[in-house]
Amino acid sequence: MMARRSDHSQEEIREMAIKASRSIIIRKGLSALSARKIASEIGYTPGTLYLIFKNQDDLILHINAITLQDLHKQLVSAIKRCRKPESCILKLGHEYVRFAVENRYLWNAIFEHRLPDGQKLPGWFRVHIERLYNLVEVQLESFNNTKRFDTHLAATALWSGVHGICVLGLTDKIENSNEKLIQSLVDSLINNYLAGLR
Amino acid sequence: MMARRSDHSQEEIREMAIKASRSIIIRKGLSALSARKIASEIGYTPGTLYLIFKNQDDLILHINAITLQDLHKQLVSAIKRCRKPESCILKLGHEYVRFAVENRYLWNAIFEHRLPDGQKLPGWFRVHIERLYNLVEVQLESFNNTKRFDTHLAATALWSGVHGICVLGLTDKIENSNEKLIQSLVDSLINNYLAGLR
DNA sequence: ACCTGAACACCGTTCAAGT
DNA sequence: ACCTGAACACCGTTCAAGT
């Protein structure tokens, strides 16, 4: 049994590879992922993966895109019953923390992964990031404020800030960090930022 | 020429190893660092490094501690002539961004590096992080406010937020990111957070 | 006592060769 | 056409052996 197996279509192998990769990341983290492990889990050899993905970075970007989609979905459904933009943004922050904690390794993989040197993120990937910022921006637009302000800038600043708290909290860089403390920090950041915006 | 060279003391080898490591990180980033490269740059074999450092994580933590010390020094000198806490905190934010941009790879190494699984950061390392948060906390304590608030929580939230903007800005996760934009985002976060705190 | 050199168990990626 | 298997150029880490 060598070469030309056609047990599965390329599309099937692709899905098997992504599924196996996600499972490895969930269990052991991104650093435990390797082409050899993925291949052995799906019953193919490492070389096969390079017929389907450009390289490991390409594969990881596709996995991270799925995680970003899942996150987006969770965030959207979390604010379904929200009325005031303030409480919407707070809910978004809470849900972001909850998702990161619950899917720690998948979420971590998004930010642990770095493209080589000056390589830019591909546009199809960046779209997934922008959709997240957009959830906040939409709320800021309907924010009942007297002053004019740049909602895009504000959404980027606030949401990056929330993310920063999450990263440092979940990578042991904040003392005695736990989900409850992280939530308090996020609350503090959002509440005061929004109050300042008024 | 094998074994028992004693060309250098252990202390000298240690310093040579750290110097060489920093130079590799500055030139090529943390991912280009390897025991074999460090060893070859200082004229020893990889095994020698394990007489001096527990493992690669230990070595990287020592390098990152130096970077955190440098950063702390820069921040302290940046606010020497500051009077009002508001402008102090803004200056701290600016200087943080400037340092991260100027020392991109060294700064990145601090956050790119992850200890395995559930391993906690050693206390001697965490001290360096806390000293940074403390710079902000001190300013918040002398903040001219009527309301009472938890200055430790506020310092952690605000500074983690500033850091988040930096990370996303410098890892291409914010659109059209450049130093000027990052500074505007940091300004926005600090100004509005402080205004909200009042 | 100090350091080496080789070994072990891994990597990502490529590509000639097999079916 | 599809996939393999082996190769290339790397890893971190350990430790018997040499001086």
Side-chain angles (χ1 to χ4, degrees):
Chain A
M1 54 127 159
M2 189 202 301
R4 182 105 192 220
R5 308 178 3 178
S6 294
D7 291 352
H8 307 89
S9 69
Q10 300 255 121
E11 196 48 51
E12 282 173 321
I13 297 177
R14 185 192 183 81
E15 272 162 33
M16 289 160 66
I18 285 181
K19 196 177 165 189
S21 301
R22 278 170 56 90
S23 150
I24 293 168
I25 293 173
I26 288 167
R27 293 188 327 254
K28 314 241 186 183
L30 180 64
S31 62
L33 192 72
S34 81
R36 283 170 169 85
K37 273 187 209 143
I38 299 165
S40 101
E41 283 214 11
I42 65 174
Y44 282 78
T45 57
T48 305
L49 294 171
Y50 287 82
L51 301 172
I52 295 163
F53 299 97
K54 232 179 97 243
N55 51 35
Q56 196 168 265
D57 284 331
D58 184 38
L59 186 154
I60 294 173
L61 283 177
H62 280 95
I63 289 162
N64 286 344
I66 294 172
T67 308
L68 286 171
Q69 273 183 298
D70 288 348
L71 171 56
H72 185 266
K73 208 167 151 189
Q74 293 286 318
L75 292 178
V76 167
S77 91
I79 56 169
K80 239 176 196 157
R81 292 204 195 79
C82 264
R83 298 170 150 257
K84 291 189 298 180
E86 294 94 314
S87 48
C88 266
I89 294 174
L90 276 169
K91 261 242 177 308
L92 287 173
H94 270 231
E95 192 62 16
Y96 185 71
V97 174
R98 203 200 54 74
F99 183 92
V101 170
E102 207 113 311
N103 307 275
R104 192 183 271 262
Y105 279 134
L106 282 174
W107 175 80
N108 230 310
I110 301 171
F111 305 100
E112 201 171 332
H113 178 243
R114 305 251 207 264
L115 248 24
D117 219 49
Q119 212 165 108
K120 292 253 163 215
L121 287 170
W124 62 263
F125 183 82
R126 174 169 274 105
V127 166
H128 292 290
I129 298 176
E130 244 115 74
R131 286 211 305 159
L132 293 177
Y133 282 116
N134 216 253
L135 289 176
V136 183
E137 192 172 343
V138 166
Q139 295 304 320
L140 286 175
E141 272 162 9
S142 69
F143 193 60
N144 184 21
N145 67 309
T146 45
K147 283 181 286 185
R148 284 257 169 277
F149 61 91
D150 184 339
T151 54
H152 186 67
L153 184 98
T156 308
L158 179 55
W159 198 248
S160 300
V162 167
H163 168 73
I165 291 171
C166 255
V167 182
L168 296 182
L170 293 185
T171 57
D172 193 35
K173 256 116 183 172
I174 289 175
E175 217 183 358
N176 302 129
S177 169
N178 57 52
E179 184 170 353
K180 215 181 125 199
L181 174 62
I182 297 175
Q183 293 288 15
S184 310
L185 291 167
V186 167
D187 277 351
S188 168
L189 194 73
I190 294 177
N191 281 327
N192 285 307
Y193 188 86
L194 292 184
L197 224 44
R198 273 228 188 66
Chain B
M1 52 126 161
M2 190 202 300
R4 182 113 194 213
R5 310 180 358 181
S6 294
D7 291 351
H8 307 89
S9 70
Q10 300 253 123
E11 196 48 51
E12 282 173 322
I13 296 177
R14 185 192 183 80
E15 272 163 33
M16 287 159 65
I18 286 180
K19 194 176 164 189
S21 301
R22 279 170 55 90
S23 149
I24 292 168
I25 293 172
I26 288 167
R27 293 187 327 253
K28 314 241 186 185
L30 181 62
S31 63
L33 192 71
S34 82
R36 283 171 169 85
K37 272 186 211 147
I38 300 165
S40 101
E41 283 213 11
I42 64 173
Y44 282 78
T45 58
T48 305
L49 294 171
Y50 287 82
L51 302 170
I52 294 163
F53 299 98
K54 231 178 99 244
N55 52 35
Q56 195 168 267
D57 284 330
D58 184 38
L59 186 154
I60 294 173
L61 283 177
H62 280 96
I63 290 163
N64 286 344
I66 293 172
T67 309
L68 287 171
Q69 274 183 296
D70 288 348
L71 172 57
H72 185 267
K73 208 167 152 189
Q74 293 285 318
L75 292 177
V76 167
S77 89
I79 56 170
K80 239 174 196 158
R81 292 204 194 78
C82 263
R83 300 171 149 256
K84 290 189 296 180
E86 295 94 314
S87 50
C88 267
I89 294 174
L90 276 170
K91 261 242 179 307
L92 286 173
H94 269 231
E95 192 62 17
Y96 186 71
V97 174
R98 203 201 54 75
F99 184 92
V101 169
E102 207 113 309
N103 306 275
R104 191 182 271 261
Y105 279 134
L106 283 174
W107 174 80
N108 230 311
I110 301 172
F111 305 100
E112 201 172 332
H113 177 244
R114 305 251 205 264
L115 249 25
D117 220 48
Q119 211 166 110
K120 292 252 165 217
L121 287 171
W124 64 263
F125 184 81
R126 177 172 271 103
V127 166
H128 292 290
I129 298 176
E130 245 116 72
R131 287 211 303 159
L132 293 177
Y133 282 117
N134 216 253
L135 289 175
V136 183
E137 193 172 343
V138 165
Q139 296 305 320
L140 285 175
E141 272 161 8
S142 69
F143 194 59
N144 184 22
N145 66 310
T146 44
K147 285 181 284 185
R148 284 256 169 277
F149 62 90
D150 184 339
T151 53
H152 186 67
L153 185 98
T156 309
L158 180 54
W159 198 249
S160 300
V162 167
H163 169 74
I165 292 170
C166 255
V167 182
L168 296 182
L170 293 185
T171 58
D172 194 35
K173 257 117 182 170
I174 290 176
E175 217 182 356
N176 301 129
S177 169
N178 57 53
E179 183 170 353
K180 214 181 128 199
L181 175 62
I182 297 175
Q183 295 287 15
S184 310
L185 291 167
V186 166
D187 276 351
S188 168
L189 193 74
I190 294 176
N191 280 328
N192 284 307
Y193 187 86
L194 292 183
L197 224 45
R198 275 230 186 64

